[in-house]
Every structure is written in C-alpha cells, then in structure tokens.
Amino acid sequence: MLLLSALALGLVESTGQNVASGIGRGGVADTSASGEDNMWDSNTTFRLDSSPVEWAIGMDLTTACPTMRRPHHLYYQLGNALMAVAFLAPGGPYGQLWLRSVLVIGCVLMAMWGWLVECTVDAFIWAIVFLVINFIHVIVLLFRLRPVKFEKEIESVS
C-alpha cells in the first residue's frame, strides 16, 4: 500500500527506483551551471512539461508506446465488430438467440485470426473456448424455442 501511495505521489518510478533521491531511468537532473537548459535534455528524469497523469502515476507516457503498430487483420476487425453488434441484441428469447448466434460467428473469425494471422495458440484456444460455449447456448436456445406439438388425440384429452 505504501508503494502505491508513493507511486501516486511520484516519489517512486515504475521501475521501483527512488526519484526523490535523484536515481531514475534517465539519470539525475543536473541543475548546475546552465540550469534550465539541462531540464530539457532527453536523459533527465525531471521534466517541466509533465502532464497530470504522468505526475500522478510517476512514469513517462511518451515511452509507453513509442511506435504505433499497424491495425490488426480484417478477421480481427470483423470479429470484434460482430461481437459489438451481438451485444446490441434486444432482451427476450429471440434476442438471446441473436446474441449467441452472432457471437459464434465472431468467435469463428477470432479463431481464424488467432490461428492464421497472429499464429498464437493462446488466442486460438480462447476463441475456440468461447465458440464452444456460445454454440452450446445456441443449441439450448433452439431447443427451448421449438414449438411443442402433440398429436390431436392427446390434445383432445386435456
């Protein structure tokens, strides 16, 4: 808890080193001879232009993502788009059927992305797990929504 409080106050950087004593990622901010000129050096820890978020969490956000990667493959984009559309389903049994059916299609696309594009086993396995869960829900919902029909002789008894 003390470490979280120190992080919030900016006394400890995310590397766990003590900023207050001048030991940081980029070294000590030299405030000798030229003063203000050294504060703008790229290797100093203390900067004058830090945002409130940077100050609150005690880390430099410009190094968090130095280069942006290209967007993911079309399978990933379509899978997530279908999942977003699925969650717009109305309430009720037919809305649940819509939700689970579209989620099955989205999970198929996510599994294809994980296996064919990203080539990672974990992304593929998670997509398959969610695919199986949603497919089972679709089957259960279809059995619940099917009309129950009796022969005319049995219906005439009641």
Side-chain angles (χ1 to χ4, degrees), residues 52-117:
V53 174
E54 289 179 21
W55 179 82
I57 62 174
M59 66 181 279
D60 183 13
L61 295 179
T62 58
T63 60
C65 188
T67 58
M68 294 298 274
R69 292 177 55 193
R70 292 186 348 213
H72 285 290
H73 194 267
L74 183 63
Y75 292 153
Y76 181 81
Q77 302 298 334
L78 286 176
N80 281 322
L82 283 174
M83 289 184 189
V85 168
F87 290 119
L88 297 175
Y94 291 104
Q96 287 181 2
L97 184 62
W98 166 261
L99 170 86
R100 298 299 179 165
S101 299
V102 176
L103 281 175
V104 163
I105 299 168
C107 288
V108 166
L109 288 169
M110 294 300 282
M112 289 171 53
W113 170 78
W115 188 258
L116 300 173
V117 177

Side-chain angles (χ1 to χ4, degrees), residues 13 15-29 43-46:
E13 285 191 5
T15 59
Q17 296 174 332
N18 191 348
V19 176
S21 67
I23 303 170
R25 275 180 292 179
V28 178
N43 65 347
T44 58
T45 301
F46 304 108

Side-chain angles (χ1 to χ4, degrees), residues 20-39:
S21 67
I23 303 170
R25 275 180 292 179
V28 178
D30 184 19
T31 57
S32 60
S34 60
E36 189 175 319
D37 294 336
N38 286 338
M39 285 188 177

